[in-house]
């Protein structure tokens, strides 16, 4: 059954050019249909304990839809080929997965990859995330893991490792995880702890511009100081092919309605590899 909130969001977008930054609501079913006509993904939108409502994990965020729509732009075929050259499986980690849409989309398209969908250790949240993997028949090569940013990452590496595999993940994904400047430090530390120290390893981040340009700019300064270099920083207009280079200067004269129409596509790699 379609969530009434989704119907309202679609109506507002059609009638008033209002672009929603989040869809669905806790406990409701959300159906995602890939733009290339692939099989639909059905998700239960998570709920959390009252103490964790500030996580904002009880919606399907527009940036996660954008990431799922642009799975091909992650160049996972290239990452997969390089992993296979080493005799290994491609390892993909999603941070702040919520309902797990990007993780499920990757796992469905790339059954040869090992996908870890992680989020804050809230029992209800992680239970729903695990059920979404099972619901979409990808649990054989994906898993839901409770993980608090900046903490010991051992739980993320607790599955059986293949002999000779390099430590860390080949690809780390996240959608709308930098809106809170107070968590930038621990989020970046988590990226340092989880990304494989390899010249081929990549971080792909998508942030809705509702985050705010100055918050994003602060994050970019911090991640650069932490040893990463930006390979791509592109502003993409939702629902169109329009794009432009990232610039904090675009904040001048930009209102909330305009910010809702854009996301920032970010790709990072290690500076010293």
């Amino acid at each position: 059954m379609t969530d009434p909130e989704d119907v309202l969001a679609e109506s507002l977008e059609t009638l008033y050019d209002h672009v929603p930054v989040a869809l669905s609501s806790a406990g409701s079913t959300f159906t995602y249909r890939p733009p290339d006509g692939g099989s639909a993904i059905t998700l239960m939108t998570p709920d959390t304990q009252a103490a964790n409502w500030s996580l904002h994990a009880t919606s399907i965020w527009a940036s996660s839809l954008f990431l799922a729509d642009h799975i091909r732009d992650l160049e996972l075929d290239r990452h997969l080929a390089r992993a296979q050259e080493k005799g290994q499986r491609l390892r993909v980690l999603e941070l702040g997965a919520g309902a797990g849409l990007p993780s499920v989309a990757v796992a469905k398209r790339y059954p040869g990859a090992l996908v870890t969908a992680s989020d804050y250790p809230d029992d209800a949240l992680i239970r729903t995330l695990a059920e979404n993997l099972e619901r979409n028949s990808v649990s054989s090569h994906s898993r839901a893991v409770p993980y608090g940013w900046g903490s010991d990452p051992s739980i993320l590496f607790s599955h059986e490792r293949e002999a000779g595999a390099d430590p860390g993940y080949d690809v780390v994904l996240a959608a709308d995880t930098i809106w809170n400047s107070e968590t930038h430090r621990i989020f970046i530390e988590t990226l340092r702890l989880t990304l494989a120290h390899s010249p081929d390893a990549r971080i792909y981040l998508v942030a809705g511009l509702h985050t705010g340009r100055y918050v994003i700019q602060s994050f970019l300064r911090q991640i650069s100081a932490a040893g990463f270099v930006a390979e791509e920083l592109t502003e993409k207009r939702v629902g169109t092919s329009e794009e432009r280079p990232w610039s904090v200067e675009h904040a001048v004269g930009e209102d909330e309605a305009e910010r809702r129409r854009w996301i920032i596509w970010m790709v990072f790699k290690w500076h010293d590899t």
Side-chain angles (χ1 to χ4, degrees):
M1 181 178 180
T2 303
D3 189 334
E5 288 191 12
D6 296 343
V7 175
L8 175 61
E10 291 173 3
S11 300
L12 289 172
E13 185 172 0
T14 300
L15 295 173
Y16 303 109
D17 197 24
H18 172 85
V19 179
V21 297
L23 299 169
S24 198
S25 57
S28 62
T29 301
F30 180 84
T31 301
Y32 167 78
R33 293 179 174 81
D36 62 2
S39 59
I41 293 173
T42 301
L43 304 169
M44 182 65 69
T45 310
D47 200 352
T48 61
Q49 300 170 19
N52 296 324
W53 285 345
S54 62
L55 297 172
H56 296 289
T58 57
S59 298
I60 308 291
W61 289 87
S63 57
S64 69
L65 269 73
F66 191 94
L67 184 50
D69 283 349
H70 294 82
I71 287 294
R72 291 187 183 278
D73 293 341
L74 302 178
E75 299 184 316
L76 293 182
D77 289 310
R78 175 173 60 86
H79 289 292
L80 190 63
R82 289 179 175 171
Q84 290 173 342
E85 288 173 2
K86 300 176 184 177
Q88 301 171 6
R89 295 181 70 178
L90 177 66
R91 294 154 298 172
V92 179
L93 169 66
E94 183 182 6
L95 297 169
L101 175 57
S103 288
V104 173
V106 169
K108 286 179 76 70
R109 186 178 289 274
Y110 298 95
L114 295 172
V115 180
T116 298
S118 71
D119 211 320
Y120 189 79
D122 177 285
D123 290 344
L125 171 57
I126 298 302
R127 181 171 58 252
T128 303
L129 179 55
E131 290 170 351
N132 283 338
L133 300 178
E134 182 71 32
R135 181 177 289 110
N136 289 280
S137 304
V138 296
S139 57
S140 63
H141 56 286
S142 63
R143 62 194 182 119
V145 176
Y147 177 70
W149 296 346
S151 63
D152 181 353
S154 297
I155 191 171
L156 296 172
F157 305 113
S158 61
H159 58 300
E160 293 184 2
R161 299 186 180 186
E162 300 161 274
D166 298 327
Y169 285 86
D170 305 297
V171 173
V172 178
L173 312 173
D176 260 341
T177 54
I178 62 173
W179 54 271
N180 184 354
S181 58
E182 294 182 359
T183 63
H184 285 178
R185 182 186 61 80
I186 58 172
F187 179 62
I188 292 170
E189 178 62 15
T190 296
L191 297 176
R192 287 179 52 83
L193 292 170
T194 56
L195 186 70
H197 211 91
S198 159
D200 299 324
R202 292 293 184 274
I203 298 166
Y204 296 90
L205 306 181
V206 180
L209 258 185
H210 61 88
T211 297
R213 289 188 181 273
Y214 298 111
V215 173
I216 295 172
Q217 184 71 6
S218 174
F219 172 80
L220 293 175
R221 285 195 296 266
Q222 292 181 62
I223 194 170
S224 176
F228 295 106
V229 60
E231 189 172 62
E232 181 180 354
L233 296 173
T234 305
E235 301 181 16
K236 297 175 181 281
R237 190 179 176 95
V238 176
T240 74
S241 59
E242 184 179 353
E243 61 181 52
R244 62 194 183 192
W246 154 261
S247 174
V248 71
E249 301 301 327
H250 292 155
V252 178
E254 186 176 60
D255 60 17
E256 180 184 355
E258 180 64 11
R259 286 195 298 272
R260 285 172 172 266
R261 299 186 180 103
W262 295 86
I263 63 90
I264 311 301
W265 181 275
M266 297 170 272
V267 184
F268 299 95
K269 62 182 180 178
W270 288 108
H271 184 271
D272 60 355
T273 57

